[in-house]
């Protein structure tokens, strides 16, 4: 069975694209799935989300590699907790993609 063009793209180009974006938008955060023990996770961090008028606002979005979760038998979920530079965020939206990453929308805790 031949692999699909999408599978080839993920295998061949996503590592290169991730490295290039990580150099600009990358950081390491503490990620606690389901209020459990936290783990350190490499993410692409971008301030703001949707139509938020003020930047930086209460929302941010991160992109995470699916393999960082599936290798541990996990997947990101609503209510997971992300800590970055001492600021705590709750995961309020999880979008899966076909190219091996999740996009998570975070809301800063008041």
């Amino acid at each position: 069975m031949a692999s699909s063009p999408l599978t080839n793209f993920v295998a061949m180009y996503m590592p290169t694209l991730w490295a290039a974006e990580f150099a600009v938008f990358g950081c390491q955060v503490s990620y606690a799935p389901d209020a459990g023990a936290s783990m350190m996770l490499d993410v692409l961090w971008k301030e703001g989300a949707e139509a938020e008028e003020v930047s930086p606002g209460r929302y941010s979005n991160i992109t995470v590699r699916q393999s960082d979760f599936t290798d541990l038998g996990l997947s990101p979920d609503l209510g997971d907790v992300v800590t970055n530079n001492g600021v705590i965020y709750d995961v309020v939206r999880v979008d899966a993609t076909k190219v091996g990453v999740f996009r998570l929308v975070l809301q800063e805790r008041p």
Side-chain angles (χ1 to χ4, degrees):
M1 180 178 186
S3 60
S4 73
L6 185 58
T7 303
N8 290 337
F9 173 82
V10 171
M12 294 175 61
Y13 297 110
M14 277 307 291
T16 303
L17 289 172
W18 180 269
E21 283 201 69
F22 193 79
V24 177
F25 300 107
C27 66
Q28 193 170 64
V29 300
S30 173
Y31 191 97
D34 195 27
S38 65
M39 60 184 178
M40 297 309 290
L41 192 63
D42 289 339
V43 305
L44 304 177
W45 188 284
K46 297 176 184 167
E47 296 287 346
E50 308 308 322
E52 193 171 23
E53 294 179 13
V54 178
S55 181
R58 287 192 66 204
Y59 294 90
S60 291
N61 69 81
I62 60 174
T63 304
V64 298
R65 293 175 289 203
Q66 289 177 354
S67 61
D68 288 345
F69 285 90
T70 55
D71 289 350
L72 299 172
L74 301 171
S75 64
D77 203 0
L78 301 180
D80 289 355
V81 177
V82 175
T83 305
N84 185 24
N85 294 323
V87 180
I88 299 171
Y89 300 84
D90 294 306
V91 175
V92 296
R93 192 168 101 200
V94 177
D95 296 326
T97 71
K98 292 182 178 184
V99 292
V101 297
F102 293 108
R103 179 179 173 263
L104 311 180
V105 176
L106 311 176
Q107 182 177 16
E108 183 178 343
R109 286 189 181 171

